[in-house]
Amino acid sequence: DCTVYFRDADSDGYGTLESKCLCAPLGLFKALKGNDCNDGNSSIHPDQIETCSTYHTDDNCDGDWIRPQDGGGSLFYEDSDGDGFGTGEPERFCEPHGIFKVTKSGDCNDAAYNINPDANEFCNGIDDNCNNNTDETLSRPCSTTCGNGTEICQSGTWVGCTAQQPLLCTSFTSC
């Protein structure tokens, strides 16, 4: 009987796919495990923990260098509208990856660039700033021929001007 030994030039216990059936280890054919994707670096092998500190290097030979296994990296959210805020469950990556582009969440409408937690609220019946309120505390100046006042936004419409309203007479307007 023979044992399959893999070529292991970096002596990390993992060899390349090149192997020989031998009675005992011989020269570079000394590893009992294969699938080493970089036999020139002993810190890269299938049992290695993927980290972000080895930028663009597949530490564990799984074909994916961007997903750290050591708790490093950052949580990234999907940001379809490009406003800098994401939605859904985050995924951990070493850098933005695919649709996971941002580290800030809270976007309540990821199809609209102008709707996000940093947006200004407008009188439009929409929650523009993603705080679960619509048109909250919006007011603006208003005026009549009798003076100035303030009106508020309700359900996307300006209402309730507090300026004194003119009284209609037969041929003229008076206050």
Side-chain angles (χ1 to χ4, degrees):
D1 281 345
C2 67
T3 303
V4 175
Y5 288 95
F6 296 91
R7 184 178 183 280
D8 184 12
D10 61 11
S11 299
D12 62 4
Y14 291 87
T16 63
L17 295 179
E18 183 182 353
S19 64
K20 289 185 179 181
C21 195
L22 305 168
C23 294
L26 178 65
L28 293 178
F29 292 90
K30 56 190 172 187
L32 294 172
K33 301 175 191 172
N35 296 321
D36 192 337
C37 59
N38 185 339
D39 203 33
N41 185 334
S42 63
S43 63
I44 297 175
H45 54 77
D47 277 342
Q48 185 63 274
I49 292 175
E50 198 76 60
T51 67
C52 291
S53 62
T54 54
Y55 189 66
H56 286 254
T57 300
D58 182 8
D59 300 308
N60 63 3
C61 302
D62 67 352
D64 181 9
W65 61 267
I66 199 157
R67 289 185 184 268
Q69 298 165 315
D70 65 349
S74 298
L75 292 174
F76 288 91
Y77 295 86
E78 182 177 343
D79 182 18
S80 297
D81 60 13
D83 63 5
F85 290 89
T87 60
E89 290 297 316
E91 295 215 15
R92 187 169 297 280
F93 294 104
C94 294
E95 62 183 39
H97 182 66
I99 60 172
F100 295 92
K101 302 173 186 173
V102 298
T103 57
K104 295 186 285 184
S105 66
D107 199 335
C108 57
N109 184 341
D110 206 31
Y113 178 83
N114 293 329
I115 297 176
N116 62 65
D118 277 349
N120 292 320
E121 190 69 34
F122 294 98
C123 185
N124 57 9
I126 297 171
D127 180 12
D128 300 292
N129 60 5
C130 299
N131 68 352
N132 295 320
N133 295 304
T134 302
D135 303 333
E136 69 273 7
T137 64
L138 293 178
S139 63
R140 70 177 184 184
C142 61
S143 62
T144 66
T145 55
C146 298
N148 297 320
T150 304
E151 60 187 351
I152 61 169
C153 179
Q154 287 183 349
S155 302
T157 305
W158 293 105
V159 297
C161 184
T162 59
Q164 185 179 3
Q165 299 297 310
L167 303 173
L168 233 38
C169 297
T170 54
S171 62
F172 63 95
T173 301
S174 64
C175 297

